[in-house]
Amino acid sequence: QLWIAVSVYVLVAIIRKKLELDTQLYRMLQVLSVMPFEKIPIKQALGPIAPRNQNPELHNQLNLFNNLTGH
């Protein structure tokens, strides 16, 4: 098991170098462990995370307490 872990770590480090990614090795290992069978390009899966939209008006979520305060 130790040799498998070392081998995987080295392979991910090689992938990081070849694809010229700035992503941390720890994050790359987490992403690969969560989605091993996803059919998306590896550079897209391991690339930078797109920022989420912070505008609350665009969220499709109900506000439970708006009617209680009279707003």
Side-chain angles (χ1 to χ4, degrees):
Q1 287 179 346
L2 179 64
W3 287 111
I4 292 172
V6 170
S7 300
V8 168
Y9 188 84
V10 170
L11 286 173
V12 172
I14 291 170
I15 290 170
R16 180 180 177 223
K17 179 119 175 138
K18 290 274 187 183
L19 295 177
E20 299 174 355
L21 296 172
D22 292 332
T23 309
Q24 296 175 351
L25 283 174
Y26 179 74
R27 182 181 174 272
M28 290 176 69
L29 290 167
Q30 281 183 324
V31 168
L32 293 173
S33 70
V34 171
M35 37 192 273
F37 301 111
E38 291 288 329
K39 292 184 178 183
I40 61 173
I42 194 163
K43 197 165 188 171
Q44 180 183 351
L46 299 175
I49 300 172
R52 292 185 180 176
N53 192 348
Q54 298 297 325
N55 189 349
E57 295 177 359
L58 298 178
H59 292 285
N60 197 11
Q61 185 175 3
L62 295 175
N63 292 321
L64 295 176
F65 300 108
N66 277 358
N67 292 337
L68 296 176
T69 59
H71 295 273

